Amino acid sequence: MNPDLSRERAAASFNPETITHILDGAPERTRRRREIESLVINDPDFQHEDPNFLSRSERYELAIKKSAKMVEKMRQHGIADPEEIFWFKRTCLGSQTDPLGLHNSMFTNMLTTQCTESQAEKWLPLASRLQAIGTYAQTELGHGTHLRGLETTATYDPSTQEFILNSPTVSSIKWWPGGLGKTSNHAVVLAQLYTQGVCRGLHAFIVPIRQMSTHEPLPGVTVGDIGPKFGYDETDNGFLKFDKFRIPRENMLMKFAQVKPDGTYVKPLSDKLTYGTMVFIRSMIVGDSARSLSRACTIAVRYSAVRHQSEIRPGEPEPQILDFQTQQYKLFPLLATAYAFQFVGSYMSETYHRITGDIQQGNLNELPELHALSAGLKAFTTWVASSGIEECRMACGGHGYSRSSGIPDIYVTFTPACTYEGENTVMMLQTARFLFKSYTAALSGERLEGMVSYLNDVSLQRLQAQPLAGRALVTDINDVGSLVEAYKQRAAWLVVAASKNVQADLKRGKRKEDAWNKNSVDLVRASNAHCHYVVVKLFVDKLSDVLDVAAHRILGSLCLLYALHGITRNSGDFLQAGLLASSQLDLAQQRIKDLLGVIRPNAVALVDAFDYSDTQLGSVLGRYDGNVYENMFEWAKKSPLNKTQVHESFHKYLKPLQSKL
């Protein structure tokens, strides 16, 4: 063990195991998670070659091998619980991606939630046995988040009781679905449904794309891989084109909307019923934001405790770079953010499962807010986590740029989340639409519930008109409850301001769409503030569940740091709304510096509490034992360029050039 890390761990003021139990939900869950993870870590079948030294084709093949092995091993160990499956796969994959990822998430979820009983009886066993290997084909070359613009058509032919799928334009070619290029033999395809000469809008269809026996593409289907990307080398993101390809009527997912044999269309009881899968995936992404950022923080904090560089006082030994306040200011707010997002991710997962139960009973009351919140938090957390991961990489100096650090892989694997499952700005505008409707409803006297209940207080409207004339709302910057109130009122102030701007343009005769677009920057600001409030609130709420005194103290410091750092980063909003006086902003800046000192001796223990194994981190810099340099040297020796002392290119190109000079 590196002596620096040993000293860091001995200096902690709390037991990391206590916080690990808090993050997991209970000691028993920690025990079971570790048991599942050890099945992977101790299994020689999962000790594969470092993928960083492989070609893309080799990485894909290795990923398929690993995916198949994961399925085989989980069956062997009897792992069937969704959370245990997640733990097992997360440990197997590390920073790599799974070609079967969409099969196990979107495809299976669509079958589970959108199939009729008879459809589920047919398709779910095929999917579970990997006879039907599926993906989710929504995005097209010309359209992504704007679903109404999708061009793929599914025209019903009552004479044969078939749907005819067609890609009428180049821009209508399905593009980006993971696992489509080479892995899948089926896809859930979103297409514009035409029946009885009328377009009924987007509907989902189960479409075979390859022969189940030979894996060859079916006639009328053009399918392949879209080529190298910024990351995701293991995943065969693909394209899919249909040329009047026919599927049986029964292949339309008909739990909610239906097409009768004669072509009669039966619309769903509520359009909101189709939200389920989107909400599910976006809720998962919030949790992934927490995990990806916390892994990057673990690597950067451990390495900063091991790395010695420069001098604080001339002539003295080089200190750990974690002793520099500038390094602390880079990393500790991100560490606090990672913890905040952990608690938000747990909340979203619990809320989704609770509301899903309500939906099955026919209660859709909370679905619109969950849809809006999952969209906004998906955008908020992925934007913050993506930039935070990059900040962690830069905080590791030059070695952070090496793939051996693990952070580049975390970044290129995570950052697509800012655009997939809904481009983030569009997601924020979806949340803004819900906030605007909620504010309008509150003005009409409707009593709001949930996270937007703060709009019930009509006195908040005064915040839009003018600041509080020097009377700051926050009386104590050390009181997290007071800070939650400030975040709430900031959100209210921006929601009211943006809504009034839209309403003013409507009164001037602007079309609704134009008024919305003209104020979209304000609307995104309002959504961002609403999501920020939710994150701060949930972090503070979580503190009340922490009974261990030492754990409560350090988590309280992280929570306060998160809240104050957010205020200083958005000081204009808080000052303009009259929520803080300028003198309090100075106090907040100083308090942040004080908190850096509180967190400093606990930083390594706080990242240890995330409880990532070296296998899951995939990082030389972030090793638990801190033995970085010798292992970096060993890692570098594995480069294929080092297989020979003299590369063949020298003899081919450089030596002839030398002889001509």
Side-chain angles (χ1 to χ4, degrees):
M1 185 69 66
N2 180 285
D4 288 318
L5 284 186
S6 295
R7 283 192 297 270
E8 294 289 335
R9 290 177 174 126
S13 65
F14 69 97
N15 182 356
E17 189 80 355
T18 302
I19 291 185
T20 300
H21 296 160
I22 293 169
L23 293 172
D24 283 332
E28 173 56 29
R29 286 167 58 83
T30 298
R31 186 202 63 77
R32 180 57 178 160
R33 173 181 57 76
R34 288 173 175 167
E35 184 179 325
I36 294 292
E37 292 170 353
S38 68
L39 294 175
V40 177
I41 294 168
N42 298 322
D43 191 331
D45 285 340
F46 289 114
Q47 310 306 311
H48 297 305
E49 186 177 352
D50 190 325
N52 286 298
F53 301 123
L54 303 178
S55 68
R56 179 164 179 251
S57 180
E58 290 170 333
R59 287 180 76 139
Y60 169 71
E61 182 176 354
L62 179 62
I64 287 292
K65 178 182 177 182
K66 184 179 287 187
S67 296
K69 189 64 67 174
M70 284 193 294
V71 172
E72 177 186 326
K73 295 287 183 176
M74 285 190 289
R75 288 173 178 170
Q76 178 182 320
H77 295 302
I79 298 172
D81 177 80
E83 191 161 38
E84 294 188 357
I85 290 172
F86 171 76
W87 291 335
F88 190 93
K89 291 178 62 179
R90 181 179 71 177
T91 309
C92 288
L93 295 171
S95 294
Q96 298 164 52
T97 56
D98 180 7
L100 292 177
L102 280 186
H103 170 86
N104 293 314
S105 57
M106 295 286 281
F107 183 74
T108 303
N109 185 270
M110 287 292 287
L111 297 183
T112 303
T113 60
Q114 307 282 327
C115 278
T116 63
E117 191 172 320
S118 60
Q119 286 176 322
E121 288 176 357
K122 173 184 177 180
W123 289 105
L124 284 175
L126 291 173
S128 67
R129 294 194 297 265
L130 287 180
Q131 291 173 300
I133 304 171
T135 185
Y136 180 74
Q138 173 176 293
T139 303
E140 298 172 358
L141 260 175
H143 289 92
T145 306
H146 180 58
L147 298 184
R148 290 193 302 276
L150 296 179
E151 300 175 81
T152 302
T153 59
T155 305
Y156 184 64
D157 180 357
S159 66
T160 61
Q161 294 191 27
E162 293 175 317
F163 291 103
I164 307 169
L165 277 88
N166 199 44
S167 305
T169 64
V170 171
S171 57
S172 69
I173 297 172
K174 295 296 182 183
W175 200 269
W176 279 115
L180 175 62
K182 293 294 175 185
T183 307
S184 299
N185 57 24
H186 284 74
V188 167
V189 175
L190 260 64
Q192 302 287 357
L193 167 63
Y194 284 83
T195 182
Q196 297 179 332
V198 179
C199 179
R200 310 292 183 173
L202 281 179
H203 289 71
F205 303 84
I206 306 172
V207 184
I209 56 176
R210 289 183 169 94
Q211 293 281 359
M212 293 177 71
S213 56
T214 67
H215 212 61
E216 291 287 340
L218 292 165
V221 173
T222 304
V223 61
D225 179 80
I226 66 171
K229 308 163 291 281
F230 188 43
Y232 267 64
D233 287 339
E234 300 87 4
T235 297
D236 53 323
N237 297 82
F239 59 78
L240 178 62
K241 183 178 182 296
F242 296 111
D243 182 14
K244 298 176 181 176
F245 182 72
R246 289 176 174 265
I247 59 172
R249 182 182 71 89
E250 293 77 15
N251 281 33
M252 174 180 163
L253 293 176
M254 291 201 199
K255 183 172 184 177
F256 302 119
Q258 296 163 16
V259 172
K260 299 293 186 181
D262 65 356
T264 301
Y265 177 69
V266 181
K267 66 180 182 179
L269 295 176
S270 171
D271 293 337
K272 297 183 179 116
L273 291 169
T274 60
Y275 287 177
T277 299
M278 290 187 293
V279 171
F280 169 68
I281 296 300
R282 289 168 188 166
S283 298
M284 285 181 59
I285 292 172
V286 173
D288 195 37
S289 298
R291 288 184 291 274
S292 298
L293 181 57
S294 60
R295 288 168 63 217
C297 284
T298 300
I299 295 167
V301 168
R302 284 180 181 167
Y303 177 63
S304 296
V306 168
R307 180 76 169 183
H308 290 251
Q309 190 158 298
S310 303
E311 299 171 339
I312 294 178
R313 300 183 188 91
E316 293 191 0
E318 291 182 308
Q320 298 159 281
I321 60 174
L322 200 56
D323 286 336
F324 289 97
Q325 189 183 70
T326 50
Q327 188 77 346
Q328 296 167 16
Y329 190 71
K330 290 176 187 176
L331 295 179
F332 294 172
L334 293 175
L335 179 57
T337 302
Y339 268 90
F341 287 1
Q342 290 271 358
F343 300 137
V344 174
S346 296
Y347 170 84
M348 288 301 296
S349 177
E350 293 164 7
T351 304
Y352 169 78
H353 289 297
R354 177 178 60 80
I355 293 179
T356 299
D358 293 342
I359 292 170
Q360 299 302 319
Q361 302 300 317
N363 181 0
L364 306 179
N365 293 342
E366 293 186 77
L367 185 56
E369 178 172 10
L370 179 61
H371 177 254
L373 192 59
S374 66
L377 286 174
K378 180 266 183 189
F380 182 84
T381 59
T382 55
W383 267 332
V384 171
S386 181
S387 63
I389 293 165
E390 175 66 356
E391 184 80 3
C392 288
R393 183 192 66 77
M394 291 189 288
C396 291
H399 290 329
Y401 190 66
S402 169
R403 296 288 283 269
S404 70
S405 75
I407 299 181
D409 282 333
I410 295 173
Y411 181 77
V412 298
T413 300
F414 176 76
T415 199
C418 293
T419 47
Y420 65 52
E421 297 311 319
E423 192 277 331
N424 278 359
T425 301
V426 177
M427 294 296 93
M428 281 296 191
L429 288 170
Q430 285 190 11
T431 304
R433 198 170 299 280
F434 176 77
L435 294 172
F436 178 77
K437 289 180 179 178
S438 298
Y439 171 68
T440 304
L443 286 181
S444 66
E446 184 178 328
R447 194 72 183 167
L448 302 176
E449 302 289 341
M451 291 293 184
V452 292
S453 59
Y454 59 81
L455 294 173
N456 287 323
D457 186 356
V458 293
S459 67
L460 293 172
Q461 296 171 41
R462 60 172 167 67
L463 293 174
Q464 193 276 334
Q466 60 183 11
L468 296 179
R471 295 184 294 106
L473 176 77
V474 177
T475 56
D476 182 3
I477 63 166
N478 291 301
D479 176 20
V480 289
S482 182
L483 297 181
V484 170
E485 184 65 22
Y487 272 92
K488 180 173 75 174
Q489 298 233 24
R490 171 206 177 204
W493 180 67
L494 286 169
V495 170
V496 171
S499 299
K500 286 193 171 183
N501 288 341
V502 172
Q503 290 169 338
D505 280 329
L506 291 174
K507 288 178 181 177
R508 295 188 193 103
K510 283 189 178 292
R511 293 175 56 180
K512 184 177 179 181
E513 298 81 4
D514 293 333
W516 190 260
N517 183 52
K518 183 174 178 288
N519 295 285
S520 56
V521 171
D522 296 334
L523 290 162
V524 170
R525 280 183 68 201
S527 290
N528 192 74
H530 174 73
C531 293
H532 208 164
Y533 155 67
V534 170
V535 175
V536 173
K537 180 184 186 304
L538 292 176
F539 200 161
V540 173
D541 288 349
K542 185 65 181 180
L543 293 178
S544 62
D545 297 335
V546 180
L547 303 180
D548 182 89
V549 174
H552 189 282
R553 186 182 301 115
I554 193 63
L555 288 177
S557 295
L558 280 178
C559 182
L560 183 58
L561 175 63
Y562 179 76
L564 290 176
H565 187 260
I567 285 173
T568 59
R569 286 294 183 93
N570 300 277
S571 56
D573 290 349
F574 290 92
L575 291 171
Q576 193 176 358
L579 302 172
L580 279 176
S582 58
S583 59
Q584 289 178 303
L585 194 59
D586 293 335
L587 290 173
Q589 293 277 16
Q590 184 55 52
R591 187 70 181 105
I592 287 173
K593 295 175 188 175
D594 296 340
L595 288 167
L596 297 180
V598 172
I599 293 166
R600 167 63 188 88
N602 293 288
V604 169
L606 281 167
V607 298
D608 285 352
F610 290 132
D611 204 28
Y612 292 118
S613 66
D614 286 346
T615 298
Q616 291 169 318
L617 283 181
S619 170
V620 175
L621 298 192
R623 293 171 58 96
Y624 184 84
D625 64 14
N627 296 321
V628 171
Y629 301 129
E630 51 268 61
N631 283 288
M632 279 193 76
F633 186 42
E634 291 303 315
W635 183 87
K637 290 180 192 177
K638 299 175 185 176
S639 171
L641 287 176
N642 292 323
K643 288 184 177 179
T644 59
Q645 287 297 325
V646 181
H647 195 269
E648 60 182 356
S649 61
F650 172 79
H651 298 289
K652 285 183 178 180
Y653 307 113
L654 293 179
K655 192 169 182 61
L657 185 64
Q658 291 173 341
S659 65
K660 294 177 183 178
L661 296 177

